[in-house]
PDB file of all heavy atoms in Angstrom:
ATOM      1  N   PRO T 912      52.988  73.420  49.413  1.00 95.00           N
ATOM      2  CA  PRO T 912      53.306  72.655  48.202  1.00 95.00           C
ATOM      3  C   PRO T 912      53.996  71.344  48.560  1.00 95.00           C
ATOM      4  O   PRO T 912      54.840  71.288  49.454  1.00 95.00           O
ATOM      5  CB  PRO T 912      54.243  73.583  47.424  1.00 95.00           C
ATOM      6  CG  PRO T 912      53.966  74.954  47.962  1.00 95.00           C
ATOM      7  CD  PRO T 912      53.605  74.763  49.394  1.00 95.00           C
ATOM      8  N   GLY T 914      55.314  69.413  45.936  1.00 96.00           N
ATOM      9  CA  GLY T 914      56.177  69.073  44.808  1.00 96.00           C
ATOM     10  C   GLY T 914      57.191  70.147  44.489  1.00 96.00           C
ATOM     11  O   GLY T 914      57.623  70.905  45.363  1.00 96.00           O
ATOM     12  N   ASP T 915      57.537  70.229  43.229  1.00 97.00           N
ATOM     13  CA  ASP T 915      58.519  71.183  42.741  1.00 97.00           C
ATOM     14  C   ASP T 915      57.836  72.242  41.880  1.00 97.00           C
ATOM     15  O   ASP T 915      56.660  72.117  41.507  1.00 97.00           O
ATOM     16  CB  ASP T 915      59.586  70.460  41.910  1.00 97.00           C
ATOM     17  CG  ASP T 915      60.362  69.449  42.739  1.00 97.00           C
ATOM     18  OD1 ASP T 915      60.807  69.817  43.840  1.00 97.00           O
ATOM     19  OD2 ASP T 915      60.504  68.297  42.290  1.00 97.00           O
ATOM     20  N   PHE T 916      58.601  73.274  41.534  1.00 98.00           N
ATOM     21  CA  PHE T 916      58.085  74.343  40.688  1.00 98.00           C
ATOM     22  C   PHE T 916      58.934  74.455  39.428  1.00 98.00           C
ATOM     23  O   PHE T 916      60.140  74.189  39.442  1.00 98.00           O
ATOM     24  CB  PHE T 916      58.087  75.680  41.438  1.00 98.00           C
ATOM     25  CG  PHE T 916      57.058  75.766  42.524  1.00 98.00           C
ATOM     26  CD1 PHE T 916      57.374  75.374  43.821  1.00 98.00           C
ATOM     27  CD2 PHE T 916      55.774  76.219  42.251  1.00 98.00           C
ATOM     28  CE1 PHE T 916      56.416  75.449  44.833  1.00 98.00           C
ATOM     29  CE2 PHE T 916      54.819  76.295  43.252  1.00 98.00           C
ATOM     30  CZ  PHE T 916      55.141  75.909  44.543  1.00 98.00           C
ATOM     31  N   ILE T 917      58.282  74.851  38.359  1.00 98.00           N
ATOM     32  CA  ILE T 917      58.961  75.063  37.092  1.00 98.00           C
ATOM     33  C   ILE T 917      58.280  76.239  36.396  1.00 98.00           C
ATOM     34  O   ILE T 917      57.063  76.399  36.496  1.00 98.00           O
ATOM     35  CB  ILE T 917      58.901  73.792  36.210  1.00 98.00           C
ATOM     36  CG1 ILE T 917      59.773  73.938  34.971  1.00 98.00           C
ATOM     37  CG2 ILE T 917      57.465  73.444  35.838  1.00 98.00           C
ATOM     38  CD1 ILE T 917      59.917  72.629  34.187  1.00 98.00           C
ATOM     39  N   ILE T 918      59.046  77.071  35.739  1.00 97.00           N
ATOM     40  CA  ILE T 918      58.465  78.201  35.000  1.00 97.00           C
ATOM     41  C   ILE T 918      58.368  77.812  33.531  1.00 97.00           C
ATOM     42  O   ILE T 918      59.375  77.478  32.897  1.00 97.00           O
ATOM     43  CB  ILE T 918      59.314  79.473  35.184  1.00 97.00           C
ATOM     44  CG1 ILE T 918      59.304  79.895  36.660  1.00 97.00           C
ATOM     45  CG2 ILE T 918      58.775  80.599  34.300  1.00 97.00           C
ATOM     46  CD1 ILE T 918      60.147  81.111  36.958  1.00 97.00           C
ATOM     47  N   VAL T 919      57.171  77.829  33.020  1.00 96.00           N
ATOM     48  CA  VAL T 919      56.892  77.448  31.637  1.00 96.00           C
ATOM     49  C   VAL T 919      56.163  78.595  30.955  1.00 96.00           C
ATOM     50  O   VAL T 919      55.094  79.015  31.405  1.00 96.00           O
ATOM     51  CB  VAL T 919      56.037  76.170  31.569  1.00 96.00           C
ATOM     52  CG1 VAL T 919      55.731  75.809  30.116  1.00 96.00           C
ATOM     53  CG2 VAL T 919      56.736  75.017  32.279  1.00 96.00           C
ATOM     54  N   ASN T 920      56.749  79.110  29.897  1.00 94.00           N
ATOM     55  CA  ASN T 920      56.138  80.240  29.164  1.00 94.00           C
ATOM     56  C   ASN T 920      55.770  81.393  30.104  1.00 94.00           C
ATOM     57  O   ASN T 920      54.721  82.025  29.956  1.00 94.00           O
ATOM     58  CB  ASN T 920      54.906  79.781  28.391  1.00 94.00           C
ATOM     59  CG  ASN T 920      55.245  78.790  27.289  1.00 94.00           C
ATOM     60  OD1 ASN T 920      56.409  78.614  26.934  1.00 94.00           O
ATOM     61  ND2 ASN T 920      54.234  78.129  26.745  1.00 94.00           N
ATOM     62  N   GLY T 921      56.619  81.622  31.106  1.00 95.00           N
ATOM     63  CA  GLY T 921      56.400  82.718  32.040  1.00 95.00           C
ATOM     64  C   GLY T 921      55.442  82.409  33.176  1.00 95.00           C
ATOM     65  O   GLY T 921      55.179  83.280  34.013  1.00 95.00           O
ATOM     66  N   THR T 922      54.913  81.179  33.246  1.00 96.00           N
ATOM     67  CA  THR T 922      53.958  80.799  34.289  1.00 96.00           C
ATOM     68  C   THR T 922      54.598  79.780  35.232  1.00 96.00           C
ATOM     69  O   THR T 922      55.158  78.771  34.786  1.00 96.00           O
ATOM     70  CB  THR T 922      52.683  80.192  33.673  1.00 96.00           C
ATOM     71  OG1 THR T 922      52.069  81.150  32.806  1.00 96.00           O
ATOM     72  CG2 THR T 922      51.689  79.799  34.750  1.00 96.00           C
ATOM     73  N   ARG T 923      54.536  80.050  36.523  1.00 97.00           N
ATOM     74  CA  ARG T 923      55.135  79.160  37.533  1.00 97.00           C
ATOM     75  C   ARG T 923      54.140  78.042  37.873  1.00 97.00           C
ATOM     76  O   ARG T 923      53.043  78.295  38.377  1.00 97.00           O
ATOM     77  CB  ARG T 923      55.474  79.977  38.786  1.00 97.00           C
ATOM     78  CG  ARG T 923      56.311  79.240  39.832  1.00 97.00           C
ATOM     79  CD  ARG T 923      56.776  80.246  40.880  1.00 97.00           C
ATOM     80  NE  ARG T 923      57.669  79.664  41.864  1.00 97.00           N
ATOM     81  CZ  ARG T 923      57.320  79.381  43.113  1.00 97.00           C
ATOM     82  NH1 ARG T 923      56.081  79.644  43.532  1.00 97.00           N
ATOM     83  NH2 ARG T 923      58.198  78.873  43.956  1.00 97.00           N
ATOM     84  N   LEU T 924      54.530  76.813  37.549  1.00 98.00           N
ATOM     85  CA  LEU T 924      53.651  75.662  37.731  1.00 98.00           C
ATOM     86  C   LEU T 924      54.183  74.752  38.838  1.00 98.00           C
ATOM     87  O   LEU T 924      55.387  74.522  38.955  1.00 98.00           O
ATOM     88  CB  LEU T 924      53.546  74.869  36.426  1.00 98.00           C
ATOM     89  CG  LEU T 924      52.966  75.625  35.215  1.00 98.00           C
ATOM     90  CD1 LEU T 924      53.058  74.759  33.963  1.00 98.00           C
ATOM     91  CD2 LEU T 924      51.530  76.051  35.479  1.00 98.00           C
ATOM     92  N   HIS T 925      53.256  74.213  39.607  1.00 98.00           N
ATOM     93  CA  HIS T 925      53.577  73.286  40.691  1.00 98.00           C
ATOM     94  C   HIS T 925      53.276  71.868  40.222  1.00 98.00           C
ATOM     95  O   HIS T 925      52.203  71.602  39.668  1.00 98.00           O
ATOM     96  CB  HIS T 925      52.731  73.623  41.921  1.00 98.00           C
ATOM     97  CG  HIS T 925      52.907  72.664  43.053  1.00 98.00           C
ATOM     98  ND1 HIS T 925      51.844  71.974  43.607  1.00 98.00           N
ATOM     99  CD2 HIS T 925      54.004  72.277  43.751  1.00 98.00           C
ATOM    100  CE1 HIS T 925      52.276  71.220  44.596  1.00 98.00           C
ATOM    101  NE2 HIS T 925      53.584  71.380  44.698  1.00 98.00           N
ATOM    102  N   TYR T 926      54.223  70.940  40.429  1.00 98.00           N
ATOM    103  CA  TYR T 926      54.032  69.583  39.922  1.00 98.00           C
ATOM    104  C   TYR T 926      54.751  68.569  40.798  1.00 98.00           C
ATOM    105  O   TYR T 926      55.621  68.905  41.611  1.00 98.00           O
ATOM    106  CB  TYR T 926      54.549  69.481  38.482  1.00 98.00           C
ATOM    107  CG  TYR T 926      56.058  69.505  38.370  1.00 98.00           C
ATOM    108  CD1 TYR T 926      56.786  68.322  38.224  1.00 98.00           C
ATOM    109  CD2 TYR T 926      56.780  70.699  38.431  1.00 98.00           C
ATOM    110  CE1 TYR T 926      58.170  68.332  38.131  1.00 98.00           C
ATOM    111  CE2 TYR T 926      58.162  70.724  38.347  1.00 98.00           C
ATOM    112  CZ  TYR T 926      58.854  69.539  38.199  1.00 98.00           C
ATOM    113  OH  TYR T 926      60.225  69.543  38.128  1.00 98.00           O
ATOM    114  N   ILE T 967      50.142  67.583  38.052  1.00 98.00           N
ATOM    115  CA  ILE T 967      50.352  69.029  37.951  1.00 98.00           C
ATOM    116  C   ILE T 967      49.110  69.787  38.407  1.00 98.00           C
ATOM    117  O   ILE T 967      47.976  69.339  38.204  1.00 98.00           O
ATOM    118  CB  ILE T 967      50.713  69.421  36.493  1.00 98.00           C
ATOM    119  CG1 ILE T 967      51.130  70.892  36.429  1.00 98.00           C
ATOM    120  CG2 ILE T 967      49.576  69.096  35.524  1.00 98.00           C
ATOM    121  CD1 ILE T 967      51.802  71.280  35.122  1.00 98.00           C
ATOM    122  N   ASP T 968      49.336  70.894  39.086  1.00 98.00           N
ATOM    123  CA  ASP T 968      48.256  71.835  39.361  1.00 98.00           C
ATOM    124  C   ASP T 968      48.014  72.646  38.093  1.00 98.00           C
ATOM    125  O   ASP T 968      48.936  73.327  37.609  1.00 98.00           O
ATOM    126  CB  ASP T 968      48.642  72.790  40.508  1.00 98.00           C
ATOM    127  CG  ASP T 968      48.560  72.133  41.874  1.00 98.00           C
ATOM    128  OD1 ASP T 968      47.746  71.211  42.042  1.00 98.00           O
ATOM    129  OD2 ASP T 968      49.314  72.552  42.767  1.00 98.00           O
ATOM    130  N   ARG T 969      46.820  72.552  37.530  1.00 97.00           N
ATOM    131  CA  ARG T 969      46.527  73.358  36.352  1.00 97.00           C
ATOM    132  C   ARG T 969      46.671  74.850  36.684  1.00 97.00           C
ATOM    133  O   ARG T 969      46.587  75.250  37.855  1.00 97.00           O
ATOM    134  CB  ARG T 969      45.110  73.069  35.836  1.00 97.00           C
ATOM    135  CG  ARG T 969      44.963  71.711  35.195  1.00 97.00           C
ATOM    136  CD  ARG T 969      43.612  71.530  34.517  1.00 97.00           C
ATOM    137  NE  ARG T 969      42.509  71.598  35.462  1.00 97.00           N
ATOM    138  CZ  ARG T 969      41.747  72.660  35.658  1.00 97.00           C
ATOM    139  NH1 ARG T 969      41.938  73.781  34.988  1.00 97.00           N
ATOM    140  NH2 ARG T 969      40.768  72.619  36.543  1.00 97.00           N
ATOM    141  N   PRO T 970      46.894  75.705  35.673  1.00 96.00           N
ATOM    142  CA  PRO T 970      47.112  77.137  35.927  1.00 96.00           C
ATOM    143  C   PRO T 970      46.024  77.746  36.819  1.00 96.00           C
ATOM    144  O   PRO T 970      44.829  77.569  36.571  1.00 96.00           O
ATOM    145  CB  PRO T 970      47.080  77.740  34.518  1.00 96.00           C
ATOM    146  CG  PRO T 970      47.500  76.635  33.630  1.00 96.00           C
ATOM    147  CD  PRO T 970      46.954  75.372  34.244  1.00 96.00           C
ATOM    148  N   GLY T 971      46.461  78.425  37.868  1.00 95.00           N
ATOM    149  CA  GLY T 971      45.538  79.085  38.784  1.00 95.00           C
ATOM    150  C   GLY T 971      45.034  78.200  39.900  1.00 95.00           C
ATOM    151  O   GLY T 971      44.384  78.683  40.830  1.00 95.00           O
ATOM    152  N   CYS T 972      45.306  76.902  39.828  1.00 96.00           N
ATOM    153  CA  CYS T 972      44.802  75.959  40.824  1.00 96.00           C
ATOM    154  C   CYS T 972      45.935  75.477  41.724  1.00 96.00           C
ATOM    155  O   CYS T 972      47.106  75.514  41.342  1.00 96.00           O
ATOM    156  CB  CYS T 972      44.165  74.762  40.122  1.00 96.00           C
ATOM    157  SG  CYS T 972      42.769  75.186  39.058  1.00 96.00           S
ATOM    158  N   GLY T 973      45.559  74.993  42.903  1.00 96.00           N
ATOM    159  CA  GLY T 973      46.573  74.499  43.824  1.00 96.00           C
ATOM    160  C   GLY T 973      47.625  75.551  44.088  1.00 96.00           C
ATOM    161  O   GLY T 973      47.328  76.652  44.568  1.00 96.00           O
ATOM    162  N   PHE T 974      48.862  75.256  43.754  1.00 97.00           N
ATOM    163  CA  PHE T 974      49.956  76.192  43.964  1.00 97.00           C
ATOM    164  C   PHE T 974      50.562  76.681  42.652  1.00 97.00           C
ATOM    165  O   PHE T 974      51.651  77.255  42.651  1.00 97.00           O
ATOM    166  CB  PHE T 974      51.026  75.544  44.843  1.00 97.00           C
ATOM    167  CG  PHE T 974      50.558  75.280  46.249  1.00 97.00           C
ATOM    168  CD1 PHE T 974      50.099  74.023  46.613  1.00 97.00           C
ATOM    169  CD2 PHE T 974      50.532  76.296  47.193  1.00 97.00           C
ATOM    170  CE1 PHE T 974      49.643  73.778  47.894  1.00 97.00           C
ATOM    171  CE2 PHE T 974      50.068  76.066  48.476  1.00 97.00           C
ATOM    172  CZ  PHE T 974      49.632  74.800  48.829  1.00 97.00           C
ATOM    173  N   SER T 975      49.868  76.444  41.548  1.00 97.00           N
ATOM    174  CA  SER T 975      50.326  76.961  40.264  1.00 97.00           C
ATOM    175  C   SER T 975      49.823  78.384  40.047  1.00 97.00           C
ATOM    176  O   SER T 975      48.699  78.724  40.422  1.00 97.00           O
ATOM    177  CB  SER T 975      49.835  76.080  39.102  1.00 97.00           C
ATOM    178  OG  SER T 975      50.589  74.900  38.997  1.00 97.00           O
ATOM    179  N   GLN T 976      50.665  79.189  39.426  1.00 96.00           N
ATOM    180  CA  GLN T 976      50.309  80.566  39.092  1.00 96.00           C
ATOM    181  C   GLN T 976      49.258  80.562  37.977  1.00 96.00           C
ATOM    182  O   GLN T 976      49.241  79.673  37.129  1.00 96.00           O
ATOM    183  CB  GLN T 976      51.573  81.299  38.630  1.00 96.00           C
ATOM    184  CG  GLN T 976      51.403  82.766  38.334  1.00 96.00           C
ATOM    185  CD  GLN T 976      52.720  83.373  37.847  1.00 96.00           C
ATOM    186  OE1 GLN T 976      53.599  82.673  37.364  1.00 96.00           O
ATOM    187  NE2 GLN T 976      52.857  84.675  37.978  1.00 96.00           N
ATOM    188  N   SER T 977      48.406  81.539  37.997  1.00 93.00           N
ATOM    189  CA  SER T 977      47.469  81.700  36.888  1.00 93.00           C
ATOM    190  C   SER T 977      48.230  82.259  35.687  1.00 93.00           C
ATOM    191  O   SER T 977      49.411  82.605  35.786  1.00 93.00           O
ATOM    192  CB  SER T 977      46.325  82.634  37.271  1.00 93.00           C
ATOM    193  OG  SER T 977      45.310  82.605  36.286  1.00 93.00           O
ATOM    194  N   CYS T 978      47.564  82.313  34.558  1.00 89.00           N
ATOM    195  CA  CYS T 978      48.222  82.784  33.346  1.00 89.00           C
ATOM    196  C   CYS T 978      47.241  83.604  32.524  1.00 89.00           C
ATOM    197  O   CYS T 978      46.037  83.610  32.798  1.00 89.00           O
ATOM    198  CB  CYS T 978      48.729  81.595  32.518  1.00 89.00           C
ATOM    199  SG  CYS T 978      47.410  80.517  31.930  1.00 89.00           S
ATOM    200  N   LEU T 990      50.340  75.093  27.680  1.00 97.00           N
ATOM    201  CA  LEU T 990      51.239  75.091  28.832  1.00 97.00           C
ATOM    202  C   LEU T 990      51.651  73.668  29.217  1.00 97.00           C
ATOM    203  O   LEU T 990      52.818  73.410  29.536  1.00 97.00           O
ATOM    204  CB  LEU T 990      50.573  75.779  30.021  1.00 97.00           C
ATOM    205  CG  LEU T 990      50.726  77.288  30.125  1.00 97.00           C
ATOM    206  CD1 LEU T 990      49.924  77.820  31.300  1.00 97.00           C
ATOM    207  CD2 LEU T 990      52.192  77.684  30.277  1.00 97.00           C
ATOM    208  N   PHE T 994      55.268  72.169  29.284  1.00 98.00           N
ATOM    209  CA  PHE T 994      55.708  71.603  30.563  1.00 98.00           C
ATOM    210  C   PHE T 994      56.328  70.227  30.357  1.00 98.00           C
ATOM    211  O   PHE T 994      57.423  69.940  30.873  1.00 98.00           O
ATOM    212  CB  PHE T 994      54.514  71.528  31.506  1.00 98.00           C
ATOM    213  CG  PHE T 994      54.687  70.613  32.683  1.00 98.00           C
ATOM    214  CD1 PHE T 994      55.539  70.940  33.720  1.00 98.00           C
ATOM    215  CD2 PHE T 994      53.986  69.416  32.752  1.00 98.00           C
ATOM    216  CE1 PHE T 994      55.706  70.088  34.805  1.00 98.00           C
ATOM    217  CE2 PHE T 994      54.137  68.561  33.829  1.00 98.00           C
ATOM    218  CZ  PHE T 994      55.003  68.902  34.853  1.00 98.00           C
TER     219      PHE T 994
END
Side-chain angles (χ1 to χ4, degrees):
D915 298 312
F916 289 91
I917 188 171
I918 296 178
V919 179
N920 295 347
T922 300
R923 190 170 185 254
L924 299 174
H925 175 237
Y926 72 99
I967 188 167
D968 284 331
R969 289 188 297 100
C972 300
F974 293 98
S975 283
Q976 184 182 22
S977 190
C978 63
L990 273 176
F994 162 71

